Amino acid sequence: MSGTGAVRAAARVVARDDGRGGTALPVLHGEGPLAPRRTRGSGATAHVTLVGAMSGPLGGDRFRVDAEVERGARLRVGSAAATLALPGQHKGAARYDVRVSVADGAELHWLPEQLICAHGSDLRVDTRVEVAASGRLVLREEQVLGRVGEEPGRLVSRIRVRVAGRPVLDQELACGPGAPGGWDGPAGLGGLRAAGQLLLVRPEFARAPATAGAFGDYAAVLPLAGPAALVSAVARDALRLRALLDEALASLG
């Protein structure tokens, strides 16, 4: 936490094979608005839910979440509710950094709820992912621009992914006031207010890549240059966006 009014908060989760067919969580730490809690899981997978203990991020806030999945462990991370970015008293953007690593033979499902950028908010999201050669990952990001009936805040969201030390994805989405022109036009969101990505990393994609193609209203599957595939979708609202990404995940197996 910071004494200047803006909030500095971090959370860290480490998942480890417990040697008995399950997954232990030797590190499960959070502070301020970031409160990770172990929840009921199934089989060998440990489940963690991020609970928002405070509103935010607000302008000037700095949040960071780290998740490390060690060899042979299986972890599923979600959130109890959507994250709502709001304007704050401090000038400058809020930051939300995510750092994820998945070791050989490990598996992570990173499935938080939507990020909603309220009118007047300014948020930078930076996600960096490292996956080992035989690691597995399902990562979902969903952004909703503005609450019902309001103009969106500003959002800049970048995701960088490396598999076995090699880059497979470096993508940035910039929307809202101050974003480059055309973000809301036909070549961008086309007037829609929900956008999302679903990233899958699987060793078998190296032998049999996912098939590129479009589906649903505005969604597409793109095989990446590595054992990974990216689903991108835009929709009129969060409900339709989730349906598109769920459909894509089911189709990919």
Side-chain angles (χ1 to χ4, degrees):
M1 304 288 288
S2 171
T4 65
V7 175
R8 306 289 190 270
R12 184 166 180 249
V13 180
V14 176
R16 181 174 297 161
D17 184 350
D18 66 5
R20 302 187 302 274
T23 297
L25 298 174
V27 178
L28 186 62
H29 170 77
E31 55 190 23
L34 300 174
R37 299 288 185 262
R38 182 160 193 167
T39 49
R40 186 182 297 274
S42 59
T45 303
H47 287 214
V48 170
T49 299
L50 284 171
V51 179
M54 298 167 56
S55 62
L58 310 179
D61 289 352
R62 300 289 186 271
F63 292 178
R64 175 169 171 147
V65 179
D66 289 82
E68 180 182 353
V69 189
E70 297 181 356
R71 180 183 292 269
R74 299 180 65 179
L75 176 65
R76 182 185 181 97
V77 177
S79 56
T83 296
L84 179 60
L86 294 164
Q89 296 180 352
H90 291 263
K91 294 182 179 180
R95 288 193 61 89
Y96 200 127
D97 296 327
V98 176
R99 301 291 182 263
V100 169
S101 65
V102 183
D104 279 313
E107 182 172 347
L108 172 64
H109 288 233
W110 186 268
L111 304 170
E113 295 301 311
Q114 298 89 357
L115 168 63
I116 303 172
C117 295
H119 178 63
S121 64
D122 188 353
L123 178 64
R124 305 290 189 272
V125 180
D126 184 61
T127 302
R128 301 187 189 188
V129 180
E130 292 278 350
V131 184
S134 63
R136 294 176 176 272
L137 173 72
V138 178
L139 183 146
R140 183 181 69 208
E141 291 188 335
E142 297 170 313
Q143 299 94 13
V144 179
L145 303 177
R147 293 168 292 191
V148 176
E150 74 174 5
E151 291 299 309
R154 185 182 185 192
L155 171 68
V156 178
S157 179
R158 185 177 182 184
I159 179 171
R160 284 168 278 187
V161 181
R162 291 161 57 93
V163 179
R166 297 181 178 181
V168 299
L169 178 66
D170 188 340
Q171 175 175 283
E172 182 174 279
L173 172 70
C175 303
W183 70 268
D184 200 23
L189 299 186
L192 301 174
R193 284 295 179 264
Q197 299 78 233
L198 184 71
L199 173 71
L200 290 89
V201 177
R202 297 175 178 169
E204 55 265 34
F205 281 157
R207 301 184 299 273
T211 302
F215 66 94
D217 302 330
Y218 303 100
V221 178
L222 176 68
L224 301 178
L230 178 70
V231 178
S232 297
V234 294
R236 62 182 180 273
D237 55 34
L239 186 64
R240 179 57 184 157
L241 178 66
R242 177 65 60 84
L244 284 171
L245 295 180
D246 285 349
E247 179 184 341
L249 184 59
S251 70
L252 290 168

